[in-house]
Amino acid sequence: EDKVVQSPLSLVVHEGDTVTLNCSYEVTNFRSLLWYKQEKKAPTFLFMLTSSGIEKKSGRLSSILDKKELFSILNITATQTGDSAIYLCAVEGGNAGNMLTFGGGTRLMVKP
Amino acid sequence: DAGVTQSPTHLIKTRGQHVTLRCSPISGHKSVSWYQQVLGQGPQFIFQYYEKEERGRGNFPDRFSARQFPNYSSELNVNALLLGDSALYLCASSLSTLDTQYFGPGTRLTVL
């Protein structure tokens, strides 16, 4: 059975801190790994990773994939209160279309 | 540009009733996927449709059904509602079954 596990479950930091969120996976027919940010309802797309070792970067956020060890990390530097959200890791693969298998998410709270 | 839209925003039903949720994809997107997100968990894949055909189905009972219309909008139907069907139902659209999925704001269903 396809599985995506995220850690930690939750995290409380202060503004300016750097955080690292983890995602490990076991998915058949792996095609890509995606990170989403969910603040209230709609998960918003952050990154899609398909190749090992190539860092994707967007402002203070960056992510990298290790296809040999089957994990990814999402880094957020100089955190701000607006970064408070649930961060979801999803892996595209399986045997049904391009279905996404999601982890349970990491709840990040950034205190002023 | 309009993103993925879903209706209604909130819905309250009682056990045994039937519900229909609606989704309009981003203009030009031909694939629609449905996910169920129970409180505190990551989204779980229900269906994917592309060009009006079912391309994938998750591990959900036959009480769940969906369809896609010629304009690429989609409906998710759930019959004989159970308390456990209470969740946020998310719709995601993509250009094709190989492209990044973008999520709508969801429909919050409460079953009493």
Side-chain angles (χ1 to χ4, degrees):
Chain A
E1 186 181 326
D2 295 345
K3 191 165 62 173
V4 178
V5 178
Q6 292 186 243
S7 64
L9 287 179
S10 65
L11 200 51
V12 180
V13 300
H14 288 94
E15 273 191 317
D17 288 349
T18 294
V19 297
T20 298
L21 310 183
N22 304 295
C23 175
S24 64
Y25 63 91
E26 292 176 33
V27 172
T28 54
N29 302 320
F30 173 90
R31 286 191 280 280
S32 64
L33 184 144
L34 298 93
W35 285 95
Y36 289 87
K37 177 183 181 183
Q38 187 174 31
E39 292 178 83
K40 289 182 181 174
K41 281 191 174 181
T44 53
F45 172 75
L46 295 175
F47 296 111
M48 183 172 74
L49 303 150
T50 55
S51 302
S52 272
I54 298 175
E55 186 183 52
K56 290 269 182 109
K57 207 168 164 62
S58 175
R60 297 175 295 102
L61 277 66
S62 64
S63 183
I64 198 160
L65 173 67
D66 186 328
K67 289 169 74 174
K68 183 180 174 188
E69 299 298 329
L70 307 183
F71 79 90
S72 174
I73 60 171
L74 175 68
N75 282 314
I76 309 175
T77 59
T79 52
Q80 303 171 356
T81 55
D83 295 327
S84 296
I86 296 172
Y87 290 83
L88 294 167
C89 172
V91 176
E92 182 185 18
N95 297 314
N98 65 330
M99 64 172 281
L100 296 176
T101 301
F102 281 86
T106 293
R107 181 179 291 275
L108 174 65
M109 179 181 291
V110 182
K111 292 187 171 181
Chain B
D1 285 342
V4 179
T5 59
Q6 293 186 243
S7 63
T9 307
H10 297 92
L11 205 48
I12 298 174
K13 293 284 189 179
T14 55
R15 280 177 295 175
Q17 285 189 310
H18 161 270
V19 69
T20 297
L21 311 181
R22 295 177 174 83
C23 171
S24 292
I26 293 170
S27 177
H29 285 196
K30 297 183 178 180
S31 179
V32 169
S33 298
W34 288 95
Y35 293 82
Q36 180 197 65
Q37 187 176 23
V38 172
L39 196 63
Q41 298 180 19
Q44 191 173 355
F45 174 74
I46 310 175
F47 285 111
Q48 183 181 55
Y49 277 77
Y50 177 69
E51 292 280 15
K52 295 173 287 179
E53 289 190 7
E54 181 182 304
R55 291 300 186 95
R57 183 183 188 116
N59 190 22
F60 279 80
D62 292 344
R63 300 185 295 108
F64 289 76
S65 64
R67 55 181 176 165
Q68 186 177 33
F69 299 99
N71 67 353
Y72 304 110
S73 67
S74 178
E75 281 182 357
L76 175 70
N77 294 284
V78 187
N79 292 323
L81 285 166
L82 303 174
L83 295 179
D85 296 331
S86 296
L88 179 67
Y89 287 85
L90 294 163
C91 172
S93 78
S94 55
L95 283 168
S96 74
T97 58
L98 298 177
D99 295 291
T100 302
Q101 295 180 42
Y102 295 91
F103 284 84
T107 293
R108 172 75 63 190
L109 172 65
T110 301
V111 182
L112 302 176

